[in-house]
Amino acid sequence: MSSSESPDTSFEADFLIHPEWLIPMTEKGLILRGQSLAISNNKIIAIDATDHLKKSCTAQQEITLDNHALLPGLINAHGHSPMALFRGFADDMALQPWLEEKIWPAESQWVSEEFVRDGAALAIAEMLRGGTTAFTDMYFFPEEIAKVTLAANIRTIQAAPVLDFPTVYAQDADEYIRKATELNDRYKNNNMVLVAFGPHAPYTVSDSPLKHISTLANELEIPIHMHVHENVHEVADAITQHGNRPLERLNELGLLSHLLQCVHATQLEDVEIEIMANAGVTVVHCPASNAGLASGMCRTQDILDAGINLCLGTDSAASNNELNMFNEMRQAALFGKTSANNASATTAWDVLTMATVNGARAMGMEDALGTLETGKLADCVAVDLDHVNSQPVYDPVSTLVYSVQSSQVNYVWVDGKLCVAHGDVLTMDTEAIKHRAAEWAEKIH
Amino acid sequence: MSSSESPDTSFEADFLIHPEWLIPMTEKGLILRGQSLAISNNKIIAIDATDHLKKSCTAQQEITLDNHALLPGLINAHGHSPMALFRGFADDMALQPWLEEKIWPAESQWVSEEFVRDGAALAIAEMLRGGTTAFTDMYFFPEEIAKVTLAANIRTIQAAPVLDFPTVYAQDADEYIRKATELNDRYKNNNMVLVAFGPHAPYTVSDSPLKHISTLANELEIPIHMHVHENVHEVADAITQHGNRPLERLNELGLLSHLLQCVHATQLEDVEIEIMANAGVTVVHCPASNAGLASGMCRTQDILDAGINLCLGTDSAASNNELNMFNEMRQAALFGKTSANNASATTAWDVLTMATVNGARAMGMEDALGTLETGKLADCVAVDLDHVNSQPVYDPVSTLVYSVQSSQVNYVWVDGKLCVAHGDVLTMDTEAIKHRAAEWAEKIH
């Protein structure tokens, strides 16, 4: 190598990745070719011309990915991971009978620490396999889920549940809240496990615990993750019971802030969108679950136009019935166009932004996640576009959103660690996980 | 083997298949276990207890498929296969600007016999790979598409296009119609290539050729496949131009019969559903395309309730952007529930029926296709449910519709011939097909 070609500095990396397309999500429409990305420890340490990096960087593993797009890891902003064990258990039913006749009775019979670990493992295996690198979760025994996430090396927000009524996990709202704060203490300063308060919904948590949660969330600076305005019945019942719409009640209780994440929000009036925008509330859109339960359509384009941080979630596999952020992006685009009656609404770029940049913002990690940039945490995904269902490629973002199957995810890094290679989950025993799931289904059936 | 165990008759087969679940689609809810299926030449010659068939049948190939569901091949009832070369070329646009500004100019520049062959090959490779064994198609140079389908061994209805205006394929309506009848003559009595008339839409074909087509279709007993009431603008424009809604005009022209297939039909009044039901019209629902182009939602449950034969189509990869009947079934269920505002509407069983039994009926082949029964043509598909995204299995039909990716299709037989094994398309050179598609995109871009 002549001195004129010599790089400015030479450095070492764990991984040096040469994708066909690099989609940093730092700027709308920006798709890089001939660029590579270097990872060291848990961070992206360089993005630069392939020729340059090949000279300047010595990597433990150099991975050339022809026909692959490299993008930020997808962030699933809402789910209940252990419910993967109820996938397909009760379909084609509306929300309330589905909950009251099927899900809640099954939960009260079967949920335990073991159930939670096995279900979370199944969900996490599916999510990692499909390019999801972080997920927000709301379920009983979040401390057990956290153990599974740490072993699998996936990033999570555990929204510790709060309800008025007793379950196997806690006796009353105070106990739920105490457990949530204890969990937060345990994982303080851990960037793989974040904790939030998860008051289930306006109709299952009364004013006093909500006020308490609001105070604590502000003190601890952690999110409040809550189902809000999931369907028209929730809103109608609240008007009957409290005399106002749930969002109005939450606003009066002081919950509307940048810490609040409203999940579903299929029923929004113009003034509510304005209030949420002004308060800096995040909305988590779950299009497939909303459709499956006939909960109504979210006004995605109006929410985006208002400048609200709109994220994307699968909800649980019991109502989805998959934890597939590629399909969820497609659903969000298709339902977004349908609800706006406008084919230019909720574009491929919009939904990929929702699944990356906006998800990171909801986690309070926009400085560390959501885009591919030097210095950020190395959560990234490589997708093979060289399949008959995703050829030809005019615009790789269109291909990713509208044509790709999550089975085309070949490589996944989370926090700099390779978790999926050649489509195999390296950090989990998927055969054992499937076997355990089948055993649970035998019992639950 | 003792004489008491000896089977009644012993016979030979080409394939003897032992799936975990056998879903014949002969009866709602019927899912067989411990049953096997034998194929000889192009037909299913036996479905019986595995133990029994293992003794009575000598097969060239015996295939044991643990964790697989065996079901009738999926029937994609609407598309434009060569447009697979435009996959992702123009997204996030409404129907008319999409057609007028992007698709029609690109077609007039690029469509040729070669384009059609290469595009059809890409589409067919994707469809076979994903478990589609028959498809209805409407595009220029259908005789070229037919050659590709025969080589690939996929079943097709080629709806030969008819338009008022000249294209590279024909000069005027008379020439289009003449070519359609010639094509029908060529493939008379061929059960792999069926021919239909494909008048594009009410707004592109005038009264005189429509009447001519109606007469010929009745004489030849072949279907008329047509885009009808695709969106609100089509209906509004027709009222302005003709003083009535397109369906009313088609009715006056005598087109409404069991031979008519109305594609899209997103805009239907109650009385129109009633008229279509009485006339025995087939409706082809294309949920993803309708959503992508913001064309509106089809009233699937009302159409089913009226007893109309409702089928399922992907439309082309230019508006979908995939030819994936598993995703299309899921879309149909999700949009069906949303449009009906009822989570119990358009169930998993409904959409699997649409994609199999109803598709066969639209082809006029309900006696030969659409279910797994002894004596029927051997079009069938084996799907591996043993993936983390599709476990556990409570109801394999729910799993197939709501959780499976088409990449989980492992085996496909069409007309008794094994076309896909271990997920590889045996009858086509997929590497060459992808290469040709990429070359076209380079030029078209």
Side-chain angles (χ1 to χ4, degrees), chain B residues 288-433:
Chain B
S289 174
N290 293 158
L293 297 166
S295 298
M297 287 191 281
C298 181
R299 295 170 59 182
T300 48
Q301 189 58 47
D302 293 334
I303 291 170
L304 289 169
D305 288 344
I308 290 173
N309 187 49
L310 182 62
C311 305
L312 202 53
T314 58
D315 208 343
S316 88
S319 63
N320 190 311
N321 300 343
E322 55 185 18
L323 309 176
N324 178 338
M325 286 294 286
F326 286 93
N327 270 359
E328 211 66 34
M329 288 193 289
R330 187 169 193 258
Q331 297 296 349
L334 295 183
F335 276 101
K337 294 172 196 311
T338 301
S339 67
N341 198 24
N342 175 5
S344 305
T346 326
T347 64
W349 276 98
D350 289 336
V351 297
L352 187 56
T353 303
M354 288 160 62
T356 54
V357 176
N358 295 4
R361 190 175 300 142
M363 297 174 77
M365 292 183 77
E366 60 269 40
D367 295 334
L369 283 182
T371 62
L372 300 183
E373 291 178 89
T374 302
K376 283 204 165 183
L377 295 170
D379 289 13
C380 49
V381 171
V383 186
D384 183 4
L385 307 189
D386 187 28
H387 288 248
V388 285
N389 58 289
S390 51
Q391 286 290 323
V393 177
Y394 291 92
D395 170 355
V397 169
S398 162
T399 306
L400 288 166
V401 169
Y402 292 126
S403 302
V404 150
Q405 301 191 29
S406 71
S407 55
Q408 291 172 242
V409 170
N410 262 356
Y411 292 87
V412 177
W413 288 264
V414 184
D415 212 49
K417 183 171 178 183
L418 186 61
C419 295
V420 174
H422 304 292
D424 291 324
V425 182
L426 306 177
T427 52
M428 307 185 85
D429 181 348
T430 52
E431 289 306 312
I433 287 166

Side-chain angles (χ1 to χ4, degrees), chain B residues 18-150:
Chain B
H18 310 298
E20 183 95 30
W21 298 275
L22 196 154
I23 306 172
M25 297 307 291
T26 49
E27 190 184 320
K28 186 172 173 178
L30 182 65
I31 297 172
L32 306 172
R33 300 192 76 156
Q35 297 269 309
S36 298
L37 181 147
I39 296 173
S40 179
N41 294 311
N42 67 342
K43 291 211 171 126
I44 299 167
I45 56 165
I47 297 175
D48 205 345
T50 300
D51 288 351
H52 188 232
L53 278 186
K54 279 195 171 180
K55 287 174 194 159
S56 58
C57 176
T58 312
Q60 297 276 329
Q61 262 190 275
E62 198 167 337
I63 303 179
T64 299
L65 297 173
D66 293 339
N67 294 306
H68 284 63
L70 187 71
L71 60 152
L74 302 176
I75 298 174
N76 184 348
H78 179 67
H80 311 277
S81 65
M83 295 178 79
L85 294 177
F86 293 133
R87 186 201 312 274
F89 169 64
D91 297 318
D92 303 322
M93 296 177 74
L95 178 62
Q96 288 309 322
W98 177 77
L99 283 174
E100 290 165 17
E101 294 163 25
K102 302 291 287 188
I103 295 299
W104 287 343
E107 285 187 331
S108 77
Q109 185 173 0
W110 295 109
V111 171
S112 65
E113 297 190 1
E114 189 190 8
F115 175 98
V116 161
R117 285 192 300 268
D118 289 344
L122 178 64
I124 293 163
E126 180 184 4
M127 287 193 277
L128 277 178
R129 173 70 189 85
T132 295
T133 56
F135 70 106
T136 302
D137 211 24
M138 180 201 279
Y139 211 66
F140 309 109
F141 304 110
E143 65 280 8
E144 297 302 314
I145 306 176
K147 289 178 199 165
V148 182
T149 65
L150 286 166

